[in-house]
Amino acid sequence: MTETVEHLRDFNYYKLNSDIKNVLAEYIWIDGTGERMRSKTKVYKGPITQLSDLEWWTYDGSSTEQANTKWSEIYLKPVVYVKDPFRGSPHVLVLCETYLPDKKTPARYNFRFIANEIMEKAKDFKPWFGIEQEYFLLKRTGTTHIWPLGWPTGGFPYPQGRYYCSIGERNNFGRALAEAHLRACLNAGLKIAGINAEVAPSQWEFQIGIAEGIEIGDHLWLARYILERLGEEFGIDINYDPKPILGDWNGSGAHTNYSDIKTRGPGGYRYIVDTLIPILQSTHQEVLKLYGANNEQRLTGHHETSSYDTFSWGDGSRGGSIRVPVITKELGAGYLEDRRPAANIDPYLVSAVVVDVALLNSTYVNQLKQLLVDSAKQL
């Protein structure tokens, strides 16, 4: 890094020792923006060995844009827990769904419940996912102004071309954070497949997968949480906007790799080309509404993107809506890459609609879109 790292500090101000029998459970949820997370800590007296050991909990939804002050209690329902890479074992990170006081009605931007229903209906097809999460690293240049890490203050670096998978101080900005993130995710037990520096300077990517069904959304949200927490320690803001820097700079996507027993089986390549591609083309405009806010700023047909308005595909094409990897064609079976999703997607929505379109005859598309519209309404 070319800049001084600020606010670097030890997570464990007081080391937890073996004499302490309590377990710290960090409850994590998606807030009323649909893009950010919140968390708070619950102390348990005994070990956490199964999901049922974790209680439902509540929080003030009026402070997270999910409720008004007159009816502010929101319930947290634990759905997944993993090892806490910051506090260490036996402490845990707990991903939660959010519900209104009746414990039945999902709170704003809780899409996991419907995604899980869709995945359960399609489970015999064993849908596998890998999501390539791109993001920018931003630093403060004053009290409020933020700018990409390593860029001249208020100015621009050398043009793109030298930064993708780069090495060297003049090319690579933020490796320490990306590396810490990889190790923390592995420590937590997440299915993280790799990291790399991306095309724009101070832009990075991590890949989650191969994950089956609802697991892809769970692991991506937890990986985002860990990245944000590390960003606190490095004094770096994590940005998932589809086009954070206008001009001749790449935007950020969340390319979604998909396969099922049909695409992975004999004749899978022909099934992708002859059956799935036409289905994906016919639903193009419908699914784009679930593929991230302001995605039209990114999908311009330039900077390794397709057009927002026009569907396209190709073998090995990074300028199409769908890329069929050359290895899938060579082997006659495998997976496809949907390059349309923006970096700020909700992975539950995207994975759910892909499965719905590919396997369930688009049964849930309208319901998914309506849930997103309802969540975006003002309280």
Side-chain angles (χ1 to χ4, degrees):
M1 290 186 205
T2 58
E3 298 182 27
T4 301
V5 175
E6 300 171 356
H7 312 305
L8 192 59
R9 54 191 181 269
D10 188 346
F11 278 109
N12 300 306
Y13 298 96
Y14 180 84
K15 299 295 182 182
L16 295 167
N17 59 53
S18 58
D19 294 331
I20 299 176
K21 303 303 181 184
N22 301 93
V23 173
L24 307 180
E26 193 70 18
Y27 279 55
I28 301 162
W29 68 95
I30 301 160
D31 72 9
T33 67
E35 296 183 12
R36 293 295 181 180
M37 289 164 284
R38 310 284 179 120
S39 75
K40 63 177 183 172
T41 306
K42 188 174 183 65
V43 178
Y44 283 88
K45 292 183 178 180
I48 303 298
T49 60
Q50 55 191 356
L51 192 62
S52 59
D53 292 332
L54 294 160
E55 304 169 351
W56 285 54
W57 203 13
T58 61
Y59 66 94
D60 173 17
S62 68
S63 296
T64 64
E65 302 180 49
Q66 290 168 295
N68 57 50
T69 54
K70 291 182 179 180
W71 198 246
S72 64
E73 292 291 286
I74 300 290
Y75 270 100
L76 291 168
K77 175 188 177 182
V79 290
V80 176
Y81 72 94
V82 298
K83 178 182 174 182
D84 186 334
F86 305 115
R87 291 165 172 154
S89 183
H91 313 290
V92 292
L93 302 180
V94 184
L95 186 64
C96 301
E97 291 183 8
T98 54
Y99 287 89
L100 298 186
D102 62 6
K103 287 186 157 184
K104 296 178 181 179
T105 306
R108 296 178 78 192
Y109 292 101
N110 172 9
F111 303 127
R112 187 186 186 277
F113 81 98
I114 188 67
N116 197 44
E117 181 179 324
I118 290 169
M119 296 303 178
E120 281 297 309
K121 289 199 173 182
K123 66 181 180 180
D124 290 343
F125 294 98
K126 296 190 178 299
W128 290 358
F129 292 92
I131 293 184
E132 305 165 27
Q133 176 70 72
E134 295 177 340
Y135 61 95
F136 268 83
L137 301 176
L138 305 181
K139 284 279 290 181
R140 295 194 183 277
T141 59
T143 56
T144 57
H145 183 67
I146 53 179
W147 200 240
L149 180 71
W151 289 34
T153 302
F156 299 90
Y158 289 107
Q160 293 183 161
R162 59 196 291 172
Y163 308 107
Y164 174 70
C165 295
S166 62
I167 63 169
E169 193 273 343
R170 68 186 182 276
N171 300 324
N172 190 287
F173 312 109
R175 186 187 298 277
L177 176 52
E179 181 75 15
H181 179 244
L182 173 62
R183 298 184 189 195
C185 286
L186 289 171
N187 184 272
L190 299 185
K191 291 185 174 180
I192 187 166
I195 61 172
N196 61 269
E198 264 302 334
V199 176
S202 80
Q203 184 188 40
W204 284 82
E205 173 184 297
F206 65 87
Q207 302 96 33
I208 293 295
I210 298 172
E212 186 171 332
I214 199 65
E215 192 177 50
I216 187 63
D218 293 341
H219 282 228
L220 185 58
W221 274 116
L222 285 166
R224 285 174 172 176
Y225 174 82
I226 291 171
L227 185 59
E228 293 274 359
R229 281 283 303 273
L230 288 168
E232 293 176 14
E233 298 308 301
F234 282 81
I236 292 174
D237 183 59
I238 312 302
N239 183 281
Y240 298 109
D241 292 344
K243 192 75 172 179
I245 307 296
L246 300 179
D248 196 16
W249 307 100
N250 272 36
S252 294
H255 303 151
T256 300
N257 300 290
Y258 170 78
S259 71
D260 56 43
I261 58 174
K262 294 181 180 180
T263 72
R264 297 190 297 268
Y269 173 75
R270 291 310 327 168
Y271 170 73
I272 289 172
V273 173
D274 298 336
T275 301
L276 281 189
I277 294 296
I279 291 173
L280 294 170
Q281 182 172 9
S282 68
T283 57
H284 176 66
Q285 290 301 328
E286 295 303 302
V287 302
L288 277 182
K289 297 172 184 177
L290 303 171
Y291 275 22
N294 303 314
N295 199 19
E296 66 279 0
Q297 296 178 9
R298 169 180 158 266
L299 294 180
T300 61
H302 304 288
H303 302 107
E304 301 181 69
T305 70
S306 59
S307 168
Y308 188 87
D309 297 317
T310 306
F311 179 88
S312 60
W313 79 277
D315 294 315
S317 172
R318 283 179 165 77
S321 308
I322 303 294
R323 176 177 72 93
V324 179
V326 292
I327 189 66
T328 297
K329 186 175 184 179
E330 288 176 6
L331 296 177
Y335 70 98
L336 61 84
E337 178 192 48
D338 191 338
R339 297 181 58 82
R340 295 170 293 177
N344 61 354
I345 59 164
D346 186 314
Y348 294 129
L349 282 180
V350 170
S351 60
V353 78
V354 168
V355 166
D356 183 43
V357 166
L359 300 173
L360 303 179
N361 198 31
S362 298
T363 302
Y364 288 88
V365 169
N366 288 333
Q367 185 177 353
L368 291 168
K369 289 192 301 179
Q370 189 60 50
L371 285 169
L372 181 59
V373 169
D374 291 343
S375 288
K377 290 178 180 177
Q378 291 205 352
L379 292 171

